[in-house]
Amino acid sequence: MSRDAKRVAIVGDPVEHSLSPVMQNTAFASAGLDWEMVRLQVAAGGGAGVIGRVRAGEFAGLAITMPLKEEAANAVDELDPASERLRSVNTAVALQSGSVLGMSTDGDGFVRSLYACDVELINRKVHVVGAGGAARSIIAALGAIDGCSITVSNRTFSAAVATAGLVDGAQAVGEEDMADAVRSADVVVNTTSVGMGLDQNIGAVPLPVELISQRHVVADIVYHPLTTALLASAGARGATTVDGLGMLVHQAVLQCEAWTGFSPDPLKMRVAAEAELSRRSG
Ligand code: ATR
């Protein structure tokens, strides 16, 4: 690296399987930037310390994953509106002033991934399955879209109620109302881990696929495998499907923009991520 080189890190525990370095290093190279992303394993309790290393100038920014998102939100100097609402950050940015800005790019990344597939969200009904951190980011972003109405269901109903409470008008639905909510939705999103990894062998799905028809857009945030059992069934029933790599890529685009000011090509980042995924499974 040259003297002008800048370094960012993906921090959390675990970080060894993160696709962030391959995506970001592809983005930096495509811009001719002498920037680099490295992996830094930081266990729970280390959030404030690593934010301090950004403040001290060691890193120009961070991508932040489990289990540090809340700790980092408490340690940064400023929060963007999304992360303020969520009290969770997936991005830290070293500002000229010496302060560290915390951001949450997951929700906007999800929305951008749908727009990239020509999916309309204005005045549409979205049903979100799951109520964890990813669901919270997505719902907060959907809540900023004109006329977008949101329903949420979850294995644990109390979590659905808490997550729906993030956005005025969003509604938690229990088991008895879930079928109606899915049938009447335009877009259905799986934010749970159901269908990930080993689940693919047993074809696990997070909702009854009989509820899906060709009028639906079905999005999954799981990207391993790229075609989850849910997306395969939804596609077979004529629905439009959006895989989970879209959200991962577009939240990374927003991170790169925040750190460097450069807007990278999502397609190049996606190709790099897919190549890495197939290298690992091959
Ligand atoms: P993330 O940050 O990826 O959202 P999380 O915060 O741990 O992860 O949230 C996981 C979500 O997946 C939760 O909504 C969880 O449901 P519970 O609130 O009932 O725990 C859901 N989830 C995980 N495993 C599940 C399963 N086997 N069946 C149904 N829902 C599941």
Side-chain angles (χ1 to χ4, degrees):
M1 291 176 86
S2 74
R3 271 180 33 163
D4 297 328
K6 295 217 174 164
R7 189 183 287 249
V8 293
I10 166 79
V11 298
D13 187 13
V15 287
E16 65 266 29
H17 297 300
S18 170
L19 292 173
S20 289
V22 74
M23 290 191 294
Q24 298 295 357
N25 289 327
T26 297
F28 299 153
S30 73
L33 291 171
D34 197 4
W35 283 55
E36 179 191 26
M37 175 174 268
V38 297
R39 293 173 205 275
L40 188 63
Q41 189 169 333
V42 178
V50 79
I51 294 295
R53 290 168 71 175
V54 178
R55 208 175 276 117
E58 187 181 348
F59 298 107
L62 302 173
I64 300 161
T65 188
M66 278 196 345
L68 302 177
K69 290 182 169 188
E70 287 78 23
E71 282 180 38
N74 290 327
V76 295
D77 305 304
E78 299 171 31
L79 292 169
D80 77 344
S83 55
E84 173 117 54
R85 173 174 288 199
L86 298 163
R87 299 305 304 179
S88 167
V89 301
N90 74 339
T91 310
V93 185
L95 301 177
Q96 292 286 348
S97 62
S99 295
V100 181
L101 169 69
M103 300 172 63
S104 180
T105 65
D106 286 331
D108 285 342
F110 174 76
V111 166
R112 279 200 187 196
S113 76
L114 291 195
Y115 285 153
C117 294
D118 291 325
V119 175
E120 182 56 87
L121 291 167
I122 296 171
N123 295 328
R124 295 293 194 274
K125 291 183 184 174
V126 182
H127 182 76
V128 176
V129 182
R136 291 170 63 81
S137 307
I138 288 170
I139 286 166
L142 292 174
I145 296 173
D146 278 349
C148 182
S149 71
I150 305 163
T151 52
V152 189
S153 61
N154 189 47
R155 177 174 64 179
T156 309
F157 182 65
S158 57
V161 173
T163 294
L166 278 172
V167 166
D168 283 347
Q171 204 188 341
V173 294
E175 239 173 290
E176 61 291 355
D177 296 322
M178 197 265 265
D180 280 347
V182 171
R183 274 196 210 96
S184 67
D186 302 294
V187 180
V188 178
V189 189
N190 172 46
T191 71
T192 76
S193 53
V194 176
M196 191 188 289
L198 291 178
D199 273 2
Q200 67 190 284
N201 299 326
I202 51 172
V205 288
L207 75 162
V209 291
E210 310 79 67
L211 300 174
I212 302 298
S213 66
Q214 59 183 25
R215 62 178 296 280
H216 286 111
V217 174
V218 178
D220 207 327
I221 70 159
V222 171
Y223 57 84
H224 173 64
L226 263 186
T227 305
T228 57
L230 172 65
L231 293 187
S233 306
R237 298 178 69 82
T240 301
T241 60
V242 180
D243 70 47
L245 205 47
M247 173 172 168
L248 191 75
V249 166
H250 283 275
Q251 66 78 29
V253 166
L254 291 165
Q255 292 180 319
C256 182
E257 288 174 357
W259 296 323
T260 70
F262 167 71
S263 190
D265 179 355
L267 194 56
K268 285 185 180 152
M269 294 166 84
R270 183 177 173 108
V271 167
E274 280 195 42
E276 178 65 17
L277 284 173
S278 67
R279 192 186 64 76
R280 287 179 194 174
S281 63

